[in-house]
Short mmCIF file of all heavy atoms in Angstrom, two decimals:
data_model
loop_
_atom_site.label_atom_id
_atom_site.label_comp_id
_atom_site.label_asym_id
_atom_site.label_seq_id
_atom_site.Cartn_x
_atom_site.Cartn_y
_atom_site.Cartn_z
N GLN T 693 -37.69 64.63 132.61
CA GLN T 693 -39.00 65.20 132.69
C GLN T 693 -39.21 66.44 131.87
O GLN T 693 -40.32 66.65 131.30
CB GLN T 693 -39.21 65.60 134.19
CG GLN T 693 -39.28 64.40 135.14
CD GLN T 693 -39.34 64.81 136.63
OE1 GLN T 693 -38.85 65.91 137.03
NE2 GLN T 693 -40.06 64.02 137.44
N THR T 694 -38.17 67.25 131.74
CA THR T 694 -38.35 68.53 131.06
C THR T 694 -37.84 68.51 129.59
O THR T 694 -38.10 69.47 128.84
CB THR T 694 -37.57 69.61 131.71
OG1 THR T 694 -36.14 69.38 131.66
CG2 THR T 694 -37.96 69.59 133.26
N ASP T 695 -37.14 67.46 129.17
CA ASP T 695 -36.44 67.38 127.90
C ASP T 695 -35.35 68.43 127.62
O ASP T 695 -34.93 68.62 126.47
CB ASP T 695 -37.48 67.46 126.73
CG ASP T 695 -38.26 66.19 126.55
OD1 ASP T 695 -37.84 65.19 127.15
OD2 ASP T 695 -39.22 66.21 125.70
N GLU T 696 -34.97 69.12 128.69
CA GLU T 696 -33.81 70.01 128.59
C GLU T 696 -32.59 69.24 128.29
O GLU T 696 -32.37 68.17 128.83
CB GLU T 696 -33.67 70.83 129.90
CG GLU T 696 -32.46 71.78 129.79
CD GLU T 696 -32.23 72.53 131.17
OE1 GLU T 696 -33.07 72.41 132.06
OE2 GLU T 696 -31.18 73.21 131.28
N LYS T 697 -31.78 69.80 127.36
CA LYS T 697 -30.56 69.05 127.00
C LYS T 697 -29.48 69.14 128.08
O LYS T 697 -29.30 70.23 128.60
CB LYS T 697 -29.98 69.65 125.67
CG LYS T 697 -30.92 69.41 124.53
CD LYS T 697 -30.23 70.00 123.25
CE LYS T 697 -31.18 69.84 122.02
NZ LYS T 697 -32.34 70.73 122.10
N ALA T 698 -28.83 68.08 128.35
CA ALA T 698 -27.66 68.01 129.13
C ALA T 698 -26.41 68.26 128.25
O ALA T 698 -26.11 67.39 127.52
CB ALA T 698 -27.54 66.68 129.87
N MET T 699 -25.93 69.48 128.27
CA MET T 699 -24.96 69.91 127.26
C MET T 699 -23.60 69.34 127.58
O MET T 699 -22.62 70.07 127.87
CB MET T 699 -24.93 71.43 127.23
CG MET T 699 -26.33 72.04 126.84
SD MET T 699 -26.94 71.50 125.23
CE MET T 699 -25.79 72.26 124.10
N VAL T 700 -23.54 68.07 127.40
CA VAL T 700 -22.25 67.28 127.53
C VAL T 700 -21.99 66.49 126.28
O VAL T 700 -22.90 65.64 125.92
CB VAL T 700 -22.28 66.38 128.79
CG1 VAL T 700 -21.03 65.63 128.93
CG2 VAL T 700 -22.52 67.09 130.05
N ARG T 701 -20.89 66.75 125.65
CA ARG T 701 -20.65 65.92 124.44
C ARG T 701 -20.08 64.55 124.85
O ARG T 701 -18.86 64.33 125.02
CB ARG T 701 -19.63 66.61 123.61
CG ARG T 701 -20.15 67.77 122.70
CD ARG T 701 -19.01 68.27 121.82
NE ARG T 701 -19.56 69.14 120.72
CZ ARG T 701 -19.69 70.49 120.80
NH1 ARG T 701 -19.40 71.02 121.99
NH2 ARG T 701 -20.11 71.20 119.84
N ASN T 702 -21.04 63.66 125.10
CA ASN T 702 -20.70 62.28 125.36
C ASN T 702 -20.43 61.55 124.03
O ASN T 702 -21.01 61.95 123.01
CB ASN T 702 -21.84 61.54 126.11
CG ASN T 702 -22.06 62.05 127.48
OD1 ASN T 702 -21.06 62.34 128.22
ND2 ASN T 702 -23.34 62.14 127.90
N VAL T 703 -19.68 60.48 124.06
CA VAL T 703 -19.37 59.75 122.89
C VAL T 703 -20.61 59.14 122.25
O VAL T 703 -20.65 58.90 121.05
CB VAL T 703 -18.29 58.62 123.18
CG1 VAL T 703 -18.88 57.57 123.99
CG2 VAL T 703 -17.67 58.09 121.82
N VAL T 704 -21.68 58.98 123.04
CA VAL T 704 -22.91 58.44 122.46
C VAL T 704 -23.56 59.37 121.50
O VAL T 704 -24.42 59.00 120.73
CB VAL T 704 -23.87 58.06 123.55
CG1 VAL T 704 -23.36 57.00 124.45
CG2 VAL T 704 -24.32 59.26 124.38
N GLY T 705 -23.11 60.62 121.43
CA GLY T 705 -23.60 61.58 120.40
C GLY T 705 -23.25 61.20 119.01
O GLY T 705 -23.87 61.66 118.03
N PHE T 706 -22.39 60.18 118.84
CA PHE T 706 -22.10 59.67 117.47
C PHE T 706 -23.10 58.60 117.09
O PHE T 706 -23.09 58.14 115.89
CB PHE T 706 -20.68 59.07 117.41
CG PHE T 706 -19.55 60.12 117.51
CD1 PHE T 706 -18.80 60.18 118.73
CD2 PHE T 706 -19.36 61.05 116.54
CE1 PHE T 706 -17.78 61.10 118.82
CE2 PHE T 706 -18.33 61.99 116.63
CZ PHE T 706 -17.58 62.03 117.81
N TYR T 707 -23.84 58.03 117.96
CA TYR T 707 -24.73 56.94 117.68
C TYR T 707 -25.74 57.19 116.57
O TYR T 707 -26.00 56.25 115.74
CB TYR T 707 -25.45 56.46 118.95
CG TYR T 707 -24.66 55.56 119.88
CD1 TYR T 707 -23.23 55.85 120.15
CD2 TYR T 707 -25.27 54.50 120.52
CE1 TYR T 707 -22.54 55.00 120.99
CE2 TYR T 707 -24.50 53.65 121.35
CZ TYR T 707 -23.19 53.94 121.61
OH TYR T 707 -22.48 53.10 122.49
N PRO T 708 -26.31 58.38 116.47
CA PRO T 708 -27.28 58.53 115.38
C PRO T 708 -26.69 58.38 114.01
O PRO T 708 -27.37 58.02 113.04
CB PRO T 708 -27.85 59.99 115.62
CG PRO T 708 -27.71 60.09 117.11
CD PRO T 708 -26.38 59.44 117.45
N TYR T 709 -25.39 58.76 113.88
CA TYR T 709 -24.71 58.61 112.60
C TYR T 709 -24.56 57.09 112.30
O TYR T 709 -24.71 56.62 111.12
CB TYR T 709 -23.34 59.28 112.63
CG TYR T 709 -23.39 60.75 112.84
CD1 TYR T 709 -23.20 61.29 114.14
CD2 TYR T 709 -23.69 61.62 111.77
CE1 TYR T 709 -23.32 62.68 114.32
CE2 TYR T 709 -23.74 63.03 112.03
CZ TYR T 709 -23.54 63.55 113.26
OH TYR T 709 -23.59 64.82 113.57
N TRP T 710 -24.21 56.30 113.37
CA TRP T 710 -24.16 54.87 113.18
C TRP T 710 -25.46 54.26 112.76
O TRP T 710 -25.46 53.30 111.97
CB TRP T 710 -23.68 54.30 114.56
CG TRP T 710 -23.63 52.85 114.70
CD1 TRP T 710 -23.06 51.90 113.95
CD2 TRP T 710 -24.31 52.17 115.84
NE1 TRP T 710 -23.24 50.64 114.49
CE2 TRP T 710 -24.03 50.77 115.59
CE3 TRP T 710 -25.06 52.52 116.85
CZ2 TRP T 710 -24.48 49.78 116.45
CZ3 TRP T 710 -25.49 51.49 117.78
CH2 TRP T 710 -25.21 50.23 117.54
N ALA T 711 -26.54 54.80 113.27
CA ALA T 711 -27.87 54.25 112.99
C ALA T 711 -28.42 54.71 111.65
O ALA T 711 -29.54 54.34 111.23
CB ALA T 711 -28.86 54.66 114.10
N GLU T 712 -27.65 55.61 111.02
CA GLU T 712 -27.95 56.17 109.64
C GLU T 712 -29.34 56.87 109.61
O GLU T 712 -30.09 56.74 108.63
CB GLU T 712 -27.98 55.01 108.59
CG GLU T 712 -26.61 54.24 108.49
CD GLU T 712 -26.65 53.16 107.51
OE1 GLU T 712 -26.33 53.41 106.32
OE2 GLU T 712 -26.91 51.99 107.93
N ILE T 713 -29.52 57.69 110.64
CA ILE T 713 -30.83 58.47 110.60
C ILE T 713 -30.44 59.96 110.32
O ILE T 713 -31.36 60.83 110.37
CB ILE T 713 -31.57 58.38 111.96
CG1 ILE T 713 -30.77 58.91 113.12
CG2 ILE T 713 -31.93 56.92 112.17
CD1 ILE T 713 -31.55 58.99 114.46
N THR T 714 -29.22 60.29 110.14
CA THR T 714 -28.78 61.71 109.93
C THR T 714 -28.79 62.06 108.47
O THR T 714 -28.95 61.14 107.55
CB THR T 714 -27.40 62.03 110.48
OG1 THR T 714 -26.47 61.10 109.89
CG2 THR T 714 -27.35 61.71 111.97
N ASP T 715 -28.67 63.33 108.16
CA ASP T 715 -28.55 63.76 106.76
C ASP T 715 -27.44 64.80 106.64
O ASP T 715 -26.63 65.00 107.59
CB ASP T 715 -29.86 64.29 106.23
CG ASP T 715 -30.41 65.50 107.01
OD1 ASP T 715 -29.61 66.23 107.56
OD2 ASP T 715 -31.65 65.66 107.07
N GLU T 716 -27.38 65.47 105.51
CA GLU T 716 -26.24 66.44 105.27
C GLU T 716 -26.24 67.58 106.24
O GLU T 716 -25.18 68.17 106.44
CB GLU T 716 -26.32 66.92 103.82
CG GLU T 716 -27.49 67.81 103.48
CD GLU T 716 -28.72 66.98 103.15
OE1 GLU T 716 -28.65 65.76 103.15
OE2 GLU T 716 -29.78 67.59 102.80
N THR T 717 -27.37 67.88 106.93
CA THR T 717 -27.32 68.98 107.82
C THR T 717 -26.58 68.64 109.09
O THR T 717 -26.14 69.57 109.86
CB THR T 717 -28.74 69.43 108.21
OG1 THR T 717 -29.41 68.29 108.89
CG2 THR T 717 -29.58 69.77 106.96
N HIS T 718 -26.34 67.41 109.34
CA HIS T 718 -25.67 66.95 110.54
C HIS T 718 -24.13 66.69 110.33
O HIS T 718 -23.41 66.53 111.32
CB HIS T 718 -26.25 65.68 111.11
CG HIS T 718 -27.75 65.77 111.35
ND1 HIS T 718 -28.72 65.32 110.47
CD2 HIS T 718 -28.41 66.25 112.41
CE1 HIS T 718 -29.92 65.56 110.94
NE2 HIS T 718 -29.74 66.11 112.17
N LEU T 719 -23.71 66.80 109.06
CA LEU T 719 -22.34 66.48 108.76
C LEU T 719 -21.33 67.47 109.38
O LEU T 719 -20.31 67.09 109.92
CB LEU T 719 -22.13 66.30 107.28
CG LEU T 719 -22.56 65.08 106.69
CD1 LEU T 719 -22.38 65.11 105.10
CD2 LEU T 719 -21.78 63.93 107.25
N PRO T 720 -21.62 68.74 109.30
CA PRO T 720 -20.67 69.72 109.95
C PRO T 720 -20.41 69.41 111.44
O PRO T 720 -19.20 69.51 111.91
CB PRO T 720 -21.23 71.09 109.68
CG PRO T 720 -22.12 70.90 108.46
CD PRO T 720 -22.64 69.55 108.58
N GLY T 721 -21.49 69.05 112.10
CA GLY T 721 -21.33 68.78 113.50
C GLY T 721 -20.45 67.52 113.74
O GLY T 721 -19.66 67.50 114.69
N LEU T 722 -20.63 66.52 112.90
CA LEU T 722 -19.81 65.34 113.01
C LEU T 722 -18.37 65.69 112.82
O LEU T 722 -17.51 65.28 113.58
CB LEU T 722 -20.28 64.34 112.00
CG LEU T 722 -19.42 63.08 111.80
CD1 LEU T 722 -19.44 62.22 113.04
CD2 LEU T 722 -19.86 62.29 110.62
N LEU T 723 -18.02 66.41 111.80
CA LEU T 723 -16.64 66.76 111.47
C LEU T 723 -16.00 67.54 112.61
O LEU T 723 -14.84 67.40 112.95
CB LEU T 723 -16.54 67.45 110.13
CG LEU T 723 -17.07 66.64 108.94
CD1 LEU T 723 -16.98 67.51 107.66
CD2 LEU T 723 -16.30 65.34 108.78
N ASP T 724 -16.81 68.48 113.12
CA ASP T 724 -16.29 69.31 114.23
C ASP T 724 -16.01 68.44 115.45
O ASP T 724 -14.96 68.57 116.10
CB ASP T 724 -17.32 70.42 114.58
CG ASP T 724 -16.86 71.26 115.72
OD1 ASP T 724 -15.68 71.88 115.63
OD2 ASP T 724 -17.50 71.34 116.77
N ALA T 725 -16.93 67.53 115.77
CA ALA T 725 -16.75 66.65 116.90
C ALA T 725 -15.50 65.78 116.71
O ALA T 725 -14.85 65.41 117.73
CB ALA T 725 -18.00 65.79 117.12
N LEU T 726 -15.22 65.40 115.53
CA LEU T 726 -14.07 64.55 115.29
C LEU T 726 -12.68 65.27 115.18
O LEU T 726 -11.71 64.75 114.85
CB LEU T 726 -14.30 63.68 114.01
CG LEU T 726 -15.40 62.61 114.12
CD1 LEU T 726 -15.61 62.06 112.76
CD2 LEU T 726 -14.99 61.57 115.12
N GLY T 727 -12.74 66.55 115.44
CA GLY T 727 -11.56 67.38 115.45
C GLY T 727 -10.89 67.40 116.77
O GLY T 727 -11.29 66.83 117.77
N PRO T 728 -9.64 68.03 116.82
CA PRO T 728 -8.80 68.05 118.06
C PRO T 728 -9.45 68.70 119.23
O PRO T 728 -9.06 68.45 120.37
CB PRO T 728 -7.56 68.69 117.60
CG PRO T 728 -7.96 69.52 116.40
CD PRO T 728 -9.03 68.73 115.73
N ARG T 729 -10.44 69.58 119.05
CA ARG T 729 -11.07 70.21 120.20
C ARG T 729 -11.84 69.24 121.08
O ARG T 729 -12.13 69.50 122.23
CB ARG T 729 -11.95 71.36 119.76
CG ARG T 729 -11.29 72.70 119.37
CD ARG T 729 -12.17 73.81 119.29
NE ARG T 729 -13.42 73.55 118.54
CZ ARG T 729 -14.63 73.78 119.00
NH1 ARG T 729 -14.80 74.27 120.20
NH2 ARG T 729 -15.68 73.52 118.25
N HIS T 730 -12.31 68.19 120.40
CA HIS T 730 -13.26 67.32 120.99
C HIS T 730 -12.71 65.86 121.09
O HIS T 730 -12.09 65.51 122.09
CB HIS T 730 -14.59 67.38 120.33
CG HIS T 730 -15.23 68.71 120.43
ND1 HIS T 730 -15.50 69.39 121.59
CD2 HIS T 730 -15.60 69.59 119.43
CE1 HIS T 730 -16.04 70.58 121.41
NE2 HIS T 730 -16.10 70.72 120.10
N PHE T 731 -13.01 65.09 120.06
CA PHE T 731 -12.80 63.58 120.27
C PHE T 731 -11.49 63.11 119.61
O PHE T 731 -11.15 61.90 119.75
CB PHE T 731 -13.98 62.79 119.74
CG PHE T 731 -15.22 63.04 120.63
CD1 PHE T 731 -16.13 64.00 120.33
CD2 PHE T 731 -15.35 62.17 121.78
CE1 PHE T 731 -17.18 64.18 121.26
CE2 PHE T 731 -16.49 62.39 122.57
CZ PHE T 731 -17.39 63.38 122.33
N ASP T 732 -10.78 63.92 118.92
CA ASP T 732 -9.51 63.46 118.30
C ASP T 732 -8.36 63.69 119.28
O ASP T 732 -7.46 64.48 119.08
CB ASP T 732 -9.24 64.17 116.99
CG ASP T 732 -8.00 63.55 116.25
OD1 ASP T 732 -7.66 62.37 116.69
OD2 ASP T 732 -7.58 64.07 115.21
N THR T 733 -8.37 63.00 120.38
CA THR T 733 -7.34 63.06 121.42
C THR T 733 -6.19 62.22 120.93
O THR T 733 -6.34 61.46 119.95
CB THR T 733 -7.86 62.61 122.73
OG1 THR T 733 -8.40 61.27 122.59
CG2 THR T 733 -8.89 63.57 123.29
N PRO T 734 -5.05 62.18 121.62
CA PRO T 734 -3.91 61.32 121.20
C PRO T 734 -4.34 59.83 121.10
O PRO T 734 -3.77 59.12 120.29
CB PRO T 734 -2.89 61.59 122.26
CG PRO T 734 -3.13 62.96 122.70
CD PRO T 734 -4.58 63.12 122.63
N ALA T 735 -5.25 59.38 121.94
CA ALA T 735 -5.77 57.95 121.86
C ALA T 735 -7.31 58.10 121.77
O ALA T 735 -7.98 57.96 122.73
CB ALA T 735 -5.31 57.21 123.05
N PRO T 736 -7.78 58.40 120.58
CA PRO T 736 -9.25 58.65 120.42
C PRO T 736 -10.03 57.34 120.48
O PRO T 736 -9.39 56.28 120.30
CB PRO T 736 -9.33 59.30 119.06
CG PRO T 736 -8.17 58.76 118.25
CD PRO T 736 -7.03 58.54 119.28
N LEU T 737 -11.27 57.38 120.76
CA LEU T 737 -12.24 58.44 120.90
C LEU T 737 -12.59 58.50 122.36
O LEU T 737 -13.09 57.47 122.86
CB LEU T 737 -13.42 58.30 120.04
CG LEU T 737 -13.21 58.30 118.52
CD1 LEU T 737 -14.03 57.28 117.80
CD2 LEU T 737 -13.59 59.69 118.00
#
């Protein structure tokens, strides 16, 4: 109803990259998400 973001990094946050709708401004976020703080667990993703 409000469009407020649910600030949870779900794996579906990678879907826009898959759909090829992103550009270079979104790349740092992708690389950060794929790091050990987030989705690069011992058995990712």
Side-chain angles (χ1 to χ4, degrees):
Q693 294 174 331
T694 68
D695 283 352
E696 180 183 352
K697 295 181 181 70
M699 301 301 289
V700 179
R701 278 186 170 89
N702 293 321
V703 70
V704 298
F706 293 110
Y707 279 41
Y709 300 98
W710 171 56
E712 300 179 89
I713 65 171
T714 60
D715 59 30
E716 65 277 0
T717 64
H718 303 99
L719 280 176
L722 172 66
L723 300 178
D724 180 59
L726 291 173
R729 284 196 310 129
H730 298 301
F731 290 92
D732 190 11
T733 55
L737 297 140

